[in-house]
Each structure stands twice: as C-alpha cells, then as structure tokens.
C-alpha cells in the first residue's frame, strides 16, 4: 500500500539526530520556555527572513493571537470583519471568531485555488479590518495585489502560512510577506512536530511583544500580569524536534517538487485535471491536488490498486455545519466545485519516485463506469 503520508517513515528519516535531540531535552529537566524554544524562534525567524518569531501551542492559536493582539493595539470592535477564503481548513476562519471578530468569506480562483483577488474589494465595508489569505496546498499567494488593496483601505494583511513553510515568491519567504503570519507545525505539515506546535512570524516588534505576553497569561515577567491572556506555549521537546527538521526543510521541499514533477509528467488521463504548472510553480506541495469528476469511484479504484488518497476539503466553509446558519444565503461557486472534485495524491519528503510512478500508472488505467459522463468537466 502506498500511504498518503507515511509519517513513521518521515520521523525515522531524521534519526539519529531526532532521537538525540529528544533525549537531550528529557535529560535537561527544562520542558517549557527554555533554550530550545528560544533557539528555534531565532532560527525560524532567520529562515523566513523576518525579525520576530513567537513559538506558540498550535497553528490556530498563532492566528488567533495575531488577530487578538491587533484587535487590542488598534481598538477594533467585537464583530469587526476579516476577509478569508471560503475554501481552506476551518482554523483560518475559526481564529477570526475566537478573536471576537467576524469572518467574511471570499471565493477562490479556479486556477490556483487561492483567494481570488478581484473578488475582495466588493466585500470591504466600514468594519473590515484585515485580509487573511491562505497559502493553500503550499502555493504562496501573490501579495502585491493584496498589499495594494490593504494599503488603500487601511487593512492589516495576515498570512495563514500553515501549509507553506519555506515557500517563496519574488525572493521572499512565507512569514515575511505581510504584516504577520501564522504557522502550524501539526505533524503532517511540511515542517511538522511530534504533536501540536505553532508560531507567529512578523517584522512588527509591538505585535510580537504583545503576543509573547498574551500567550503566557498576559505576563512579561513571571507572576506580573499586565493583561488577561491564555496559555499557548511550545514544548521544549517540540522545539528541539523542529530545529532538527528545519535544517532539512529546503531539501525536503525540493523532494516534494520532484514528486510533483513526476506526477505532472506521468499522469496522462483525460479524467484527471492536474494542477496548472504556471499557477503551482512556486508551491512547496503540502498537498498535490487533482480534480476528478467521479471522486468516490476514483478513490475506490486507487484503493484497490494499493494507493491511499485523501480529500482536502470535502466541504467549503459556508457548508460546514458550524457556519451554515450564518452563511445560508451565500454561494461561492469555485469553492463548491473544488470541494466536490478535489483529490489529494500521496506526497511527502520520503515518498520515492518509484512510488509516484506507480500512483501515476494506476491513475492512467482508470476508466469511469460506462453509464457515467467520461469527460472530465470538473472545472
Ligand atoms: C493546519 C492548518 C491550520 C491550523 O493548525 P493547527 O496547528 O492544527 O491548529 C491553520 N490553517 C491551515 C490552512 C491549516 O492547514
């Protein structure tokens, strides 16, 4: 079976350094707010090309803390609005709610599945405070048009970089493309911990200082609480793991590019729509998304052929039960079509080219059932 992501193999591939790093932390007796976290913050900020990195508990907290801190600094009101894509992992929008703000969904582009820049301006109201694009599937969003809109309307621009560690555009890495960025190091991400972890990356010193306090019970100095905060810290163990894996991140992303390249060369099926080369050129391929008409049938066919696939994501945000009531009258046609047709092929830093070839061969053998429309009219 070719697994969607063989995470045991991923972890083993960093040994013996990973085991040694973990053992050193266990022996050190220091498990929070120690030298591993401080070193990771310095190294990840430098990697992104940004001035500050604040390590936190997970990706959702990173995004929530950015919004909460800006809300305090600029005195935004409860219910003020943040524009987010209608198609992303729910954390992007949920962070907005958790900060006491309101997510306003915007449809995505059918070409690169990212926030469709031309649809943003009509959504801006007197209460809009920020735009939060997502570098979905590992593809960095083009920031110039977004920066232009943000500047004209006085909005903050916040990257959800949870799927795009190390991706770059015009010489700038994610994390250094906007006012602030939230990263997740969930185990399956391109840079993944052995549990939950996240980070805020920014060049804004005031924002970083406030987030550092908020994430530690509102205290800069132990037991002196300047404000009410929460507990969202990165474990020393996770910081040590991430430091080992960060050293190989560019190489790992390069390997993902190789696998994606094999797929693009070898998959030759009229039933499969491949990601557009032009649109995905700068991707670090967190996900390799294809579009198919008969998704359940294709998934079942591949399963029988020994290939595990997943779907990212089966529902757009406005169709999630958690949001359905508030967005009942809204429709985002591209988000809906991608949610209906997307299929994620196996990809990782440890998948072999030979495995990618077997996936492609299996897909090329797929024929839809006789009665169904055998043209791919996905988009
Ligand atoms: C993974 C992810 C997050 C949240 O990360 P957690 O660490 O699981 O909280 C946020 N946004 C996107 C787009 C993600 O893929």
């Amino acid at each position: 079976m070719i697994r969607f992501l063989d995470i045991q193999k991923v972890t083993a591939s960093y040994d013996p350094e990973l085991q040694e790093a973990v053992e050193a932390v266990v022996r050190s007796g220091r498990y929070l707010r120690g030298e591993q976290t401080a070193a990771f913050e310095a190294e990840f900020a430098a990697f992104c090309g940004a001035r500050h990195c604040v390590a936190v508990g997970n990706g959702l907290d990173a995004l929530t803390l950015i919004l909460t801190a800006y809300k305090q600094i600029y005195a935004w009101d409860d219910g003020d609005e943040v524009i987010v894509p209608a198609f992303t992992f729910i954390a992007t929008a949920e962070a907005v709610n958790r900060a006491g703000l309101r997510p306003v969904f915007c449809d995505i582009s059918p070409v690169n599945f990212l926030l469709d820049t031309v649809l943003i301006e009509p959504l801006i109201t007197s209460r809009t405070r920020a735009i939060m694009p997502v570098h979905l599937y590992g593809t960095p969003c083009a920031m110039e048009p977004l920066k232009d809109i943000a500047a004209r309307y006085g909005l903050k621009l916040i990257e959800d970089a949870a799927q795009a560690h190390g991706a770059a555009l015009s010489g700038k890495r994610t994390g250094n493309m906007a006012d602030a960025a939230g990263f997740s190091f969930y185990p399956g991400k391109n840079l993944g911990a052995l549990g939950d972890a996240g980070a805020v990356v920014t060049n804004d010193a005031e924002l970083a200082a406030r987030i550092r306090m908020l994430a530690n019970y509102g205290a800069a100095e132990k037991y002196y609480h300047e404000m009410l905060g929460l507990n969202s810290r990165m474990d020393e163990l996770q910081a040590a793991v991430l430091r080992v894996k960060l050293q190989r991140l560019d190489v790992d992303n390069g390997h993902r590019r190789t696998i994606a390249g094999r797929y693009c060369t070898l998959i030759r099926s009229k039933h499969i729509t491949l990601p557009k080369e032009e649109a995905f050129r700068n991707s670090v391929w967190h996900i390799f998304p294809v579009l198919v008409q008969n998704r359940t049938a294709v998934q079942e066919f591949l399963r029988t052929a020994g290939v595990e696939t997943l779907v990212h994501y089966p529902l757009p945000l406005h169709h999630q039960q958690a949001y359905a009531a508030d967005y009942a009258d809204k429709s985002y046609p591209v988000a809906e079509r991608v949610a209906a047709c997307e299929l994620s092929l196996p990809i990782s830093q440890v998948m072999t080219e030979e495995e990618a070839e077997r996936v492609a061969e299996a897909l090329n053998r797929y024929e839809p059932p006789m009665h169904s429309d055998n043209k791919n009219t996905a988009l």
Side-chain angles (χ1 to χ4, degrees):
M1 184 70 161
I2 298 174
R3 304 280 310 279
F4 173 74
L5 172 62
D6 189 340
I7 204 138
Q8 252 185 326
K9 190 173 175 191
V10 170
T11 302
S13 75
Y14 299 96
D15 273 339
E17 289 85 353
L18 197 68
Q19 288 285 349
E20 287 164 7
V22 167
E23 276 167 28
V25 174
V26 172
R27 277 196 304 269
S28 76
R30 179 92 192 201
Y31 307 121
L32 285 167
R33 295 171 63 72
E35 62 186 36
Q36 292 299 321
T37 303
F40 173 73
E41 288 179 338
E43 288 161 12
F44 195 61
F47 175 85
C48 296
R51 279 202 279 282
H52 311 279
C53 169
V54 183
V56 299
N58 57 66
L60 174 63
D61 282 357
L63 297 170
T64 306
L65 284 160
I66 293 168
L67 291 163
T68 303
Y70 273 143
K71 190 177 176 214
Q72 293 179 357
I73 293 170
Y74 295 102
W76 294 349
D77 284 326
D78 279 335
D80 279 354
E81 296 163 0
V82 178
I83 295 172
V84 301
F87 187 75
T88 171
F89 180 61
I90 195 166
T92 315
E94 196 161 346
V96 178
N97 293 100
R98 276 187 48 200
L101 303 166
R102 201 173 79 82
V104 171
F105 298 150
C106 178
D107 209 353
I108 55 168
S109 149
V111 179
N112 58 16
F113 312 136
L114 306 176
L115 200 54
D116 194 337
T117 310
V118 302
L119 300 178
I120 293 175
E121 275 196 75
L123 297 172
I124 295 175
T125 72
S126 60
R127 301 201 65 179
T128 308
R129 299 289 173 253
I131 308 172
M132 191 148 72
V134 180
H135 305 302
L136 194 76
Y137 300 152
T139 313
C141 301
M143 295 314 264
E144 291 316 317
L146 294 169
K147 279 187 181 163
D148 176 60
I149 296 172
R152 272 190 288 123
Y153 291 90
L155 310 177
K156 287 292 171 189
L157 192 54
I158 301 162
E159 304 168 64
D160 181 338
Q163 302 191 358
H165 321 73
L169 204 55
S170 315
K172 280 200 173 178
R173 298 241 203 211
T174 56
N176 186 30
M177 293 183 172
D179 292 303
F183 284 89
S184 163
F185 306 113
Y186 178 84
K189 302 288 161 91
N190 289 33
L191 178 60
L194 303 183
D196 276 318
V200 172
V201 174
T202 182
N203 289 312
D204 182 338
E206 184 183 7
L207 181 78
R210 183 168 286 261
I211 289 173
R212 207 173 273 292
M213 255 193 281
L214 280 172
N216 188 42
Y217 291 110
E221 191 185 341
K222 205 171 185 183
Y223 304 135
Y224 292 86
H225 306 274
E226 295 175 38
M227 60 185 80
L228 296 181
L230 60 133
N231 174 1
S232 185
R233 303 182 287 232
M234 185 185 286
D235 295 336
E236 284 283 284
L237 275 173
Q238 302 305 347
V241 166
L242 291 170
R243 289 183 70 201
V244 170
K245 295 177 81 170
L246 178 59
Q247 290 177 34
R248 218 180 72 197
L249 181 57
D250 281 332
V251 172
D252 286 346
N253 283 340
H255 185 75
R256 287 172 180 272
R257 282 203 180 90
T258 303
I259 298 297
R262 295 308 287 152
Y263 280 153
C264 291
T265 309
L266 296 171
I267 296 171
R268 290 277 164 266
S269 164
K270 61 180 188 290
H271 311 298
I272 311 293
T273 303
L274 289 167
K276 306 267 178 304
E277 214 238 287
E278 181 70 14
F280 279 74
R281 178 176 306 138
N282 299 296
S283 183
V284 289
W285 299 103
H286 174 58
I287 298 289
F288 187 94
V290 299
L291 299 178
V292 294
Q293 194 70 336
N294 267 304
R295 181 166 64 201
T296 315
V298 177
Q299 253 195 313
E300 189 47 41
F301 177 85
L302 287 174
R303 197 185 345 267
T304 309
V307 177
E308 184 189 21
T309 57
L310 294 179
V311 171
H312 297 92
Y313 299 90
L315 293 177
L317 293 184
H318 62 296
H319 288 170
Q320 295 289 351
Q321 204 182 330
Y323 282 118
D326 288 343
Y327 297 85
D329 56 337
K330 297 289 202 302
S331 127
Y332 307 91
V334 181
E336 288 162 25
R337 270 179 289 154
V338 177
C341 300
E342 193 275 344
L343 185 67
S344 307
L345 302 186
I347 192 159
S348 76
Q349 59 270 60
V350 295
M351 190 178 168
T352 65
E353 288 185 56
E354 188 264 333
E355 285 173 321
E357 284 154 22
R358 273 157 56 204
V359 173
E361 273 164 37
L363 260 183
N364 290 341
R365 270 188 276 122
Y366 171 77
E367 283 299 331
M370 289 301 277
H371 57 267
S372 77
D373 178 1
N374 67 356
K375 277 208 317 283
N376 182 15
T377 52
L379 279 169

